[in-house]
Amino acid sequence: MNKYKGMYIVRPDLTEEKYAQVIEEINKIFTDNGSTVDSVDVWGLREMAYEIEDFRKGYYVVFLTTASPEALNEYNRILNIREDIIRHIIVKE
């Protein structure tokens, strides 16, 4: 397992409770696949450099994880099909 840094942007039109639920669900992807989420840094609602899917703002979340390849594949698979995630990325530290 390797250390990774990831970020995802959530749609800006959700409630605070929904944001917390999305963060919890994404963290669960890693814990369900034998990995750990070492830290989560919520940046909150920020202006984006350019419009994505008709949104000018997004709710940013940055996290550190120690993950297996299976967890990374599941993270990418799920975030690609979720409609409440605008963009996501994960890179090896």
Side-chain angles (χ1 to χ4, degrees), residues 7-11 48 58-60 84-88:
M7 186 208 63
Y8 51 92
I9 306 172
V10 186
R11 297 168 55 111
M48 292 190 284
Y59 193 86
Y60 284 69
D84 53 0
I85 302 296
I86 298 172
R87 286 285 189 273
H88 71 279

Side-chain angles (χ1 to χ4, degrees), residues 10 14 18-26 82 84-85:
V10 186
L14 302 178
K18 262 311 230 191
Y19 289 131
Q21 181 181 357
V22 168
I23 293 168
E24 185 179 317
E25 289 170 1
I26 293 172
R82 284 187 71 129
D84 53 0
I85 302 296

Side-chain angles (χ1 to χ4, degrees), residues 7-46:
M7 186 208 63
Y8 51 92
I9 306 172
V10 186
R11 297 168 55 111
D13 56 356
L14 302 178
T15 63
E16 285 297 322
E17 295 80 28
K18 262 311 230 191
Y19 289 131
Q21 181 181 357
V22 168
I23 293 168
E24 185 179 317
E25 289 170 1
I26 293 172
N27 290 345
K28 194 170 179 332
I29 294 170
F30 291 102
T31 56
D32 286 351
N33 287 286
S35 302
T36 61
V37 177
D38 303 327
S39 70
V40 177
D41 186 15
V42 178
W43 289 6
L45 202 58
R46 299 209 173 197

Side-chain angles (χ1 to χ4, degrees), residues 4 30 35 65 67-77 90:
Y4 295 91
F30 291 102
S35 302
T65 183
S68 65
E70 296 82 18
L72 291 178
N73 291 337
E74 189 68 4
Y75 168 81
N76 284 317
R77 186 184 74 78
I90 192 162

Side-chain angles (χ1 to χ4, degrees), residues 46-61:
R46 299 209 173 197
E47 192 80 23
M48 292 190 284
Y50 55 91
E51 194 171 287
I52 302 173
E53 297 179 17
D54 297 327
F55 294 114
R56 297 287 301 155
K57 292 185 176 187
Y59 193 86
Y60 284 69
V61 180

